[in-house]
Amino acid sequence: MKKLSATLITSYYLLITKVSFAQTRLIPCSGLDCDLCDLLQLFKNLITFSLELGFVLAGAFIAYGAFVIMTAGGSEEKVKSGKQVVTTAITGVV
């Protein structure tokens, strides 16, 4: 339980860091001085931010799936459910 809490707290701080980074550096220009290069940079920043956020969320889901498997207590359905969560998270990353 402590390990899961530490993982969730770490994921939360990584997520907050990424969100605050996005608020300050996501849009490359300000006002009316934007051009086509700034628009392309914005698309690149959005893609990068989405990928980084996806990795953080995938890590959280993998930790959750592992927690479900560890606390299954011999229940085959819970083990199967945990494996499905981990498999889906890894598939999403790939």
Side-chain angles (χ1 to χ4, degrees):
M1 188 69 178
K2 281 180 125 178
K3 199 172 201 178
L4 178 66
S5 298
T7 303
L8 291 177
I9 289 171
T10 303
S11 298
Y12 174 75
Y13 282 119
L14 286 173
L15 181 64
I16 292 300
T17 302
K18 293 301 177 190
V19 169
S20 65
F21 172 76
Q23 291 173 349
T24 59
R25 304 292 297 167
L26 192 60
I27 301 173
C29 63
S30 62
L32 299 175
D33 63 341
C34 298
D35 59 0
L36 181 62
C37 290
D38 291 325
L39 181 65
L40 295 175
Q41 183 64 40
L42 173 65
F43 288 140
K44 179 183 174 196
N45 292 348
L46 286 172
I47 290 169
T48 302
F49 175 72
S50 298
L51 286 172
E52 291 173 350
L53 183 63
F55 280 117
V56 171
L57 291 175
F61 278 108
I62 290 170
Y64 171 72
F67 177 76
V68 170
I69 291 170
M70 289 187 311
T71 60
S75 171
E76 283 296 320
E77 252 185 63
K78 283 190 176 183
V79 170
K80 187 176 180 182
S81 173
K83 284 182 180 180
Q84 182 64 35
V85 170
V86 171
T87 304
T88 303
I90 291 173
T91 304
V93 168
V94 171

